[in-house]
Amino acid sequence: LLEYNLEVLDMMVSRSYDTTKKCPSSINTAKVLTGVIIFFLGGKYGYSMRSTIYTGLHVSYLCWWMLEQTLFPPLSNRFGDAVSGPVEWVQVLAVVGVFYAFPAWNTFRNKKGTPHTLVSIISIMMFSLGCLINTMADVQMHTTKGLRKGLVTEGIFRLCQNPNWLGDYMRYGSFSLISGNKSSFILVALIVLINFGSLQDPKAKGGMADRYGKAYEQWVDKVPSKLLPNLDSNVRYTIIGVILVWLVSFVIGKILNNKKTQNKKSKTS
């Protein structure tokens, strides 16, 4: 059972697809089940600011998962046959449907209903950017493979070897962060372990060197980072500059607000 559950998780997060087979409905059913759990918890515990933000993030992802298969047909064929009978079907639902809702359980049971402002901002940014990165990687990979055979090394794959993993970590990391419970990161940690474990699997990422030969070796030499994007120095400086400008803007606004508050207090006194 444990081995099968790990295989299902690996299939979910490593994105090693077989585009010749039909997407099993068990995965989509599991996503629907996750939504059922989220809304059940909402009805049972009610909605705070924290759980409202969480619901918006996670349910947006579930809707995106369903819609992308219609908007971009190649993604509807991303998985091979995942189940061979009722028992395995239930196992898929338990792992992908129930376990992936673990941060939701922590969120709705969190007695601190209002998260810190910074936590809310970072969670929303992580989710949005994670979805963007993941979608870019998936669409580029499937589009390129539809046009030609071989290794995909252009575009976002010129920055790191596994940008779709990074997008997944950011997305599930946002769910864990907004939940306000450190134990939620167990899900992220397990996904990371499964992903990097697939590098030893010859049927998945571990077999890329044999499948692509010299092209793979050249790509790895040029793009050594497996996860973090290797940005050009000009791009890094631009990002840092923009962040500093935003921070300065916040500080200026804060100073003006404090002066306004002080003036009001002086008038009332």
Side-chain angles (χ1 to χ4, degrees):
L1 175 62
L2 177 60
E3 282 186 10
Y4 179 78
N5 288 342
L6 291 177
E7 288 177 3
V8 172
L9 282 171
D10 181 43
M11 177 183 63
M12 284 293 300
V13 297
S14 67
R15 304 286 179 153
S16 54
Y17 310 133
D18 180 354
T19 58
T20 64
K21 298 179 180 180
K22 184 178 181 180
C23 175
S25 59
S26 59
I27 302 297
N28 288 333
T29 304
K31 295 297 184 183
V32 173
L33 176 58
T34 300
V36 168
I37 294 173
I38 292 173
F39 284 111
F40 170 79
L41 293 172
K44 180 176 176 59
Y45 294 102
Y47 287 95
S48 63
M49 179 61 71
R50 184 186 303 278
S51 58
T52 297
I53 294 174
Y54 181 92
T55 301
L57 296 180
H58 206 150
V59 173
S60 293
Y61 163 60
L62 297 176
C63 293
W64 165 81
W65 173 272
M66 299 296 180
L67 285 173
E68 68 172 352
Q69 299 172 46
T70 301
L71 300 176
F72 191 65
L75 291 180
S76 65
N77 301 323
R78 71 185 70 192
F79 300 121
D81 296 328
V83 296
S84 60
V87 175
E88 292 187 357
W89 182 284
V90 172
Q91 291 172 359
V92 171
L93 296 184
V95 175
V96 182
V98 177
F99 184 65
Y100 272 50
F102 179 57
W105 170 261
N106 284 332
T107 299
F108 283 95
R109 296 182 73 251
N110 192 329
K111 294 182 180 179
K112 295 181 180 179
T114 303
H116 191 280
T117 301
L118 189 59
V119 170
S120 300
I121 293 173
I122 293 176
S123 297
I124 294 171
M125 289 181 63
M126 285 177 60
F127 174 79
S128 301
L129 294 175
C131 286
L132 174 63
I133 292 171
N134 187 274
T135 302
M136 288 175 62
D138 283 348
V139 171
Q140 183 185 338
M141 178 174 65
H142 285 282
T143 301
T144 303
K145 286 182 177 289
L147 297 174
R148 63 168 175 80
K149 294 182 179 180
L151 189 65
V152 181
T153 60
E154 304 87 7
I156 195 170
F157 289 92
R158 80 186 192 283
L159 302 177
C160 67
Q161 297 176 23
N162 304 287
N164 39 12
W165 289 2
L166 176 60
D168 273 339
Y169 302 158
M170 292 175 67
R171 184 163 51 210
Y172 284 101
S174 71
F175 301 158
S176 301
L177 181 61
I178 197 63
S179 75
N181 192 318
K182 295 178 182 178
S183 66
S184 296
F185 285 95
I186 293 175
L187 175 60
V188 180
L190 183 58
I191 293 174
V192 172
L193 290 174
I194 297 291
N195 275 161
F196 281 87
S198 71
L199 297 175
Q200 309 303 319
D201 184 359
K203 296 181 180 179
K205 293 281 187 178
M208 292 182 67
D210 293 332
R211 289 197 298 272
Y212 298 110
K214 189 175 181 180
Y216 177 76
E217 295 178 2
Q218 293 175 342
W219 177 55
V220 171
D221 289 339
K222 188 176 180 180
V223 186
S225 176
K226 295 187 181 302
L227 189 62
L228 298 178
N230 183 22
L231 300 175
D232 181 83
S233 59
N234 292 332
V235 176
R236 290 199 299 269
Y237 293 145
T238 300
I239 293 175
I240 294 174
V242 170
I243 293 175
L244 289 176
V245 169
W246 289 347
L247 289 176
V248 169
S249 300
F250 172 78
V251 171
I252 293 174
K254 191 70 173 177
I255 292 173
L256 293 176
N257 182 61
N258 289 339
K259 287 184 177 180
K260 184 178 180 180
T261 303
Q262 290 175 359
N263 291 335
K264 287 183 177 180
K265 288 182 178 180
S266 62
K267 288 181 180 179
T268 54
S269 61

